[in-house]
Amino acid sequence: MDKSKEDSRKIHVLGEDVSRRIAAGEVIERPFSVVRELLDNSLDASADEMSVYLRDGGNSSIRVVDNGCGMQPADLKRCYLSHATSKISKIDDLDTLSTLGFRGEALSSMAACARLEVVSAVKDGLHPAHRLVAQGGKLLSFAACQGKSGTIVDVSHVFFNMPARKKFLKRSSAETMMCKIVFLDKAMPFPGVVFKLFIDGELKLFFERQSLLHRVTTAYNYKEHADIFSEVRAEGEGFSLVVVCAGPDLNRKDRKHIQVFVNKRRVYEYSLVQAVEYGFKEYLPGGLYPVCFVFLQIDPRLVDFNIHPAKKEVRIKNLPLIHQKLVALLKSFFAENYAFAYENRLHQARRQDSSHAMAVSFDHLFPDSALEDKKAITAQIKSLSVPEAGGKPAADFSYLGQLWKVFLVFSTEERVYFVDQHAAHERLLFDRIKSSPGAMQKLLFPISFEVSDEELAVLETIIDNLKAFNVKIQRIGENSFEIQALPEKLHSFPESELIAFLRSEKGTVEDLSRELYARAACRLAIKEGEEIDELTACELFKEVLSLTHPRCPHGRPLFYSMSKDQIFKLVGRNL
Ligand code: ADP
Ligand code: MG
């Protein structure tokens, strides 16, 4: 081996300057990291007002001004050194940590890869303000100066000594965007703190002191919809949860506004995002996501933030418990509060007056074997078409007719309703199948089917879950299976759809049974385009009104309704 190559393989310890810059690069990824760390410091200093000034997306300079506790001159002189912190002194302190920072690496990283200027003064008025300037890890100056209590930190020339990193800085608009996201993440869990963001001299965001709900709705432009947001709370052993969320009518096509904060830090903890999705599942159609901000406060002994240089990741000891609590909180909140108040009142009124009982039982629409061929069901709906004596719809609503063969239109004294006939029937069938799917019945002719290797891997994991709700599958060859038994009510569910289901679905017993029942109900419900007689329409409507959550199994609302008041207003008429 030639000498120079041999030398290059020898191990040597990196010089302090190089290792310092490498470490700095881990904390300071781009300008937004500076914004994050400086805001953390201001919050840790108990400031209740802070302003961020960005120049050129932070590529030129980032300044954060706060009215916090400030630093005495001796502390200020040390703050830019590696591992200099006032927040912990021994490792056990992590167990009782209540501050955002604790590593003592932020200011030192900025001093290592940028120019850092800090002016600070404490509130006691005994010490004058001082200014410290450091760059490339070296102290450039330190002297008394004019200044109010609090701290001003200026960071400029970011990555001046790391050209490779500097090359990767993006256009100022892109860096600004990222800084803005961090700014919002910081402002969200501190609604009692005033936050201002100035971009190239202009005030772009300003949050006054406000409630948590208003902080969320102001920050994410939901101000106009603030009244449909709620704040709900729950507690468990060692943790408490505050959730700010909108009802299911406000939703998005992405998960951007499902956000989780743990001990006031934004974290990307998938399990908790998933818990939110589960909580909303019955209220939102697939592909739509809620607006839901989760603020979790955990006993510091049960949580470890010391696993990611930017503290984006977190290890939580009692995560499954918190997950369950969050799902339960959301579900019970919707069950209690998201019922349609008006429809409920109507339902109660009707219950008190049993003379509205219909002559023809609605059960005809839903025969016991709910999954007979759809034609048979349609025939049964038709067979209800001659109203018998007393079979007029209840007096408190009128059926106005079918619209575009899709909607059934009803009116009451106060409202008009457009009911989606397919969705409504589907939901009611679904409820019936779900509440009594029937016992396991062996198929006279087992249905065999093949799966690909990928499908096989999934199917194997769900066989037991399927069996738990009476769908019995047996492996009969390397990639072949046989459906041997089904719950009674799924017997006439078409083979091809059953196989498609088994090839594509996975999940818990609850997920799987729900999906299969939903598919069966969808297939058997009356479709748009089909005609429906008055009596049947009225029966459907009555059942729909009795639901606490009038949504189809996939979350779509079953009807749209408008009040008389709204309609009068729309045409400029006084009631
Ligand atoms: P850490 O926040 O992990 O302690 P930093 O490098 O961010 O480390 O800050 C070092 C120390 O400087 C802090 O522990 C704190 O004592 C002090 N400090 C930093 N910023 C401020 C500020 N805005 N107000 C008061 N003290 C500050
Ligand atoms: Mg810090």
Side-chain angles (χ1 to χ4, degrees):
M1 197 182 288
D2 78 44
K3 182 91 174 76
S4 65
K5 264 195 182 161
E6 212 170 86
D7 279 351
S8 74
R9 287 199 185 153
K10 283 236 166 69
I11 293 181
H12 48 264
V13 174
L14 290 176
E16 205 183 312
D17 177 48
V18 181
S19 63
R20 186 68 211 108
R21 268 193 257 171
I22 291 174
E26 272 178 29
V27 181
I28 309 300
E29 223 178 296
R30 8 180 29 100
F32 77 74
S33 329
V34 173
V35 174
R36 180 192 63 222
E37 295 297 330
L38 295 184
L39 286 177
D40 274 358
N41 282 347
S42 299
L43 290 162
D44 284 345
S46 306
D48 64 3
E49 278 195 45
M50 49 198 70
S51 303
V52 177
Y53 299 81
L54 294 178
R55 291 249 164 238
D56 189 17
N59 292 337
S60 299
S61 78
I62 300 153
R63 162 186 283 217
V64 172
V65 179
D66 72 46
N67 67 349
C69 64
M71 282 175 269
Q72 293 203 3
D75 289 330
L76 178 62
K77 203 166 181 182
R78 278 196 291 262
C79 73
Y80 79 103
L81 299 171
S82 287
H83 312 301
T85 179
S86 56
K87 297 168 193 172
I88 60 169
S89 51
K90 50 188 192 307
I91 197 74
D92 292 350
D93 293 345
L94 287 178
D95 285 348
T96 50
L97 191 73
S98 62
T99 51
L100 297 166
F102 56 84
R103 292 163 174 262
E105 281 178 335
L107 294 184
S108 68
S109 298
M110 292 169 211
C113 67
R115 177 181 188 276
L116 172 76
E117 183 176 328
V118 190
V119 174
S120 192
V122 289
K123 283 189 175 139
D124 63 10
L126 297 176
H127 305 86
H130 277 69
R131 170 182 283 113
L132 166 133
V133 184
Q135 184 166 358
K138 294 193 174 61
L139 181 65
L140 299 187
S141 68
F142 181 77
C145 66
Q146 289 289 321
K148 291 194 293 189
S149 69
T151 303
I152 303 172
V153 183
D154 243 305
V155 177
S156 55
H157 302 85
V158 177
F159 302 139
F160 78 99
N161 53 357
M162 295 168 82
R165 206 34 105 80
K166 198 173 168 72
K167 254 205 328 246
F168 282 101
L169 289 178
K170 293 195 196 313
R171 277 179 299 118
S172 90
S173 58
E175 296 292 345
T176 302
M177 199 57 224
M178 290 186 264
C179 291
K180 208 172 139 187
I181 292 171
V182 165
F183 179 86
L184 291 174
D185 286 349
K186 290 294 152 198
M188 219 47 46
F190 291 93
V193 175
V194 175
F195 281 82
K196 293 180 195 162
L197 174 63
F198 293 84
I199 295 174
D200 295 320
E202 233 181 280
L203 179 62
K204 290 288 184 186
L205 286 175
F206 170 41
F207 303 138
E208 55 190 3
R209 253 169 232 116
Q210 51 200 167
S211 68
L212 186 60
L213 190 150
H214 283 112
R215 178 60 55 92
V216 169
T217 53
T218 330
Y220 287 100
N221 294 326
Y222 293 122
K223 241 178 166 169
E224 279 178 27
H225 304 287
D227 54 338
I228 61 163
F229 276 76
S230 304
E231 190 179 304
V232 286
R233 293 164 182 274
E235 269 178 38
E237 214 180 300
F239 71 90
S240 64
L241 274 166
V242 181
V243 178
V244 173
C245 64
D249 291 331
L250 188 72
N251 48 56
R252 296 176 58 92
K253 291 208 169 76
D254 57 42
R255 294 184 177 83
K256 276 193 189 145
H257 292 176
I258 303 181
Q259 298 192 0
V260 178
F261 297 81
V262 176
N263 292 0
K264 303 201 160 135
R265 295 178 175 97
R266 170 94 189 264
V267 295
Y268 295 82
E269 175 50 62
Y270 182 66
S271 150
L272 296 175
V273 171
Q274 208 185 28
V276 170
E277 285 182 38
Y278 283 155
F280 273 83
K281 200 169 171 186
E282 283 164 40
Y283 303 87
L284 280 177
L288 291 184
Y289 300 95
V291 175
C292 184
F293 291 74
V294 177
F295 301 90
L296 172 62
Q297 201 65 35
I298 314 185
D299 180 336
R301 278 170 302 192
L302 303 175
V303 48
D304 186 1
F305 279 101
N306 196 19
I307 51 175
H308 189 283
K311 307 178 194 90
K312 271 190 206 161
E313 284 171 30
V314 56
R315 231 174 255 141
I316 302 173
K317 256 193 195 150
N318 48 351
L319 190 57
L321 212 75
I322 297 171
H323 177 104
Q324 277 170 20
K325 191 87 180 179
L326 182 53
V327 176
L329 174 68
L330 290 170
K331 283 196 168 171
S332 71
F333 169 70
F334 285 127
E336 278 167 32
N337 296 285
Y338 215 79
F340 291 83
Y342 176 78
E343 282 78 357
N344 268 355
R345 277 205 306 281
L346 196 69
H347 177 55
Q348 275 165 9
R350 194 171 304 112
R351 238 192 246 148
Q352 284 157 8
D353 182 359
S354 57
S355 67
H356 293 140
M358 302 289 285
V360 181
S361 155
F362 195 40
D363 288 345
H364 287 241
L365 238 188
F366 303 102
D368 246 7
S369 56
L371 291 171
E372 278 173 25
D373 191 48
K374 194 192 76 191
K375 272 196 194 126
I377 293 226
T378 316
Q380 282 181 10
I381 294 171
K382 295 232 164 89
S383 78
L384 294 176
S385 61
V386 189
E388 293 178 13
K392 273 263 140 227
D396 50 8
F397 68 81
S398 324
Y399 176 50
L400 304 183
Q402 198 185 32
L403 180 64
W404 308 315
K405 293 193 176 167
V406 171
F407 300 103
L408 309 174
V409 187
F410 299 87
S411 68
T412 64
E413 271 296 297
E414 293 298 326
R415 294 186 92 79
V416 60
Y417 294 80
F418 300 87
V419 179
D420 180 326
Q421 63 181 46
H422 168 73
H425 191 206
E426 177 187 17
R427 162 65 195 270
L428 299 174
L429 277 175
F430 171 77
D431 286 353
R432 279 167 170 73
I433 301 171
K434 193 172 162 218
S435 66
S436 64
M440 184 189 279
Q441 267 190 356
K442 258 180 120 170
L443 297 182
L444 216 51
F445 303 104
I447 306 163
S448 51
F449 64 101
E450 299 278 319
V451 290
S452 68
D453 287 344
E454 284 142 43
E455 290 161 351
L456 175 71
V458 177
L459 190 56
E460 279 184 320
T461 65
I462 61 165
I463 283 190
D464 287 344
N465 289 351
L466 291 166
K467 203 165 165 201
F469 67 101
N470 293 342
V471 178
K472 190 173 170 212
I473 311 282
Q474 182 77 42
R475 192 168 180 175
I476 51 169
E478 202 168 331
N479 284 51
S480 31
F481 286 81
E482 210 171 65
I483 308 168
Q484 296 183 331
L486 287 172
E488 207 181 317
K489 287 204 179 151
L490 293 182
H491 260 238
S492 48
F493 190 49
E495 262 179 37
S496 57
E497 292 192 25
L498 200 53
I499 294 169
F501 168 81
L502 293 169
R503 283 188 175 137
S504 62
E505 290 301 316
K506 56 183 169 206
T508 61
V509 177
E510 203 206 344
D511 297 336
L512 289 167
S513 59
R514 193 172 196 290
E515 180 59 26
L516 186 56
Y517 301 157
R519 286 191 190 201
C522 178
R523 158 129 185 127
L524 288 152
I526 44 168
K527 296 281 180 309
E528 42 273 16
E530 286 180 40
E531 285 187 22
I532 185 167
D533 63 84
E534 179 173 350
L535 190 64
T536 313
C538 291
E539 285 295 2
L540 256 182
F541 185 52
K542 276 169 69 175
E543 286 235 359
V544 164
L545 285 190
S546 72
L547 297 169
T548 325
H549 312 297
R551 288 178 178 267
C552 84
H554 291 110
R556 275 200 302 123
L558 303 187
F559 58 80
Y560 178 74
S561 86
M562 275 180 105
S563 69
K564 192 171 174 183
D565 192 31
Q566 279 173 303
I567 298 174
F568 272 58
K569 267 198 195 129
L570 284 175
V571 295
R573 206 180 234 282
N574 288 330
L575 251 190

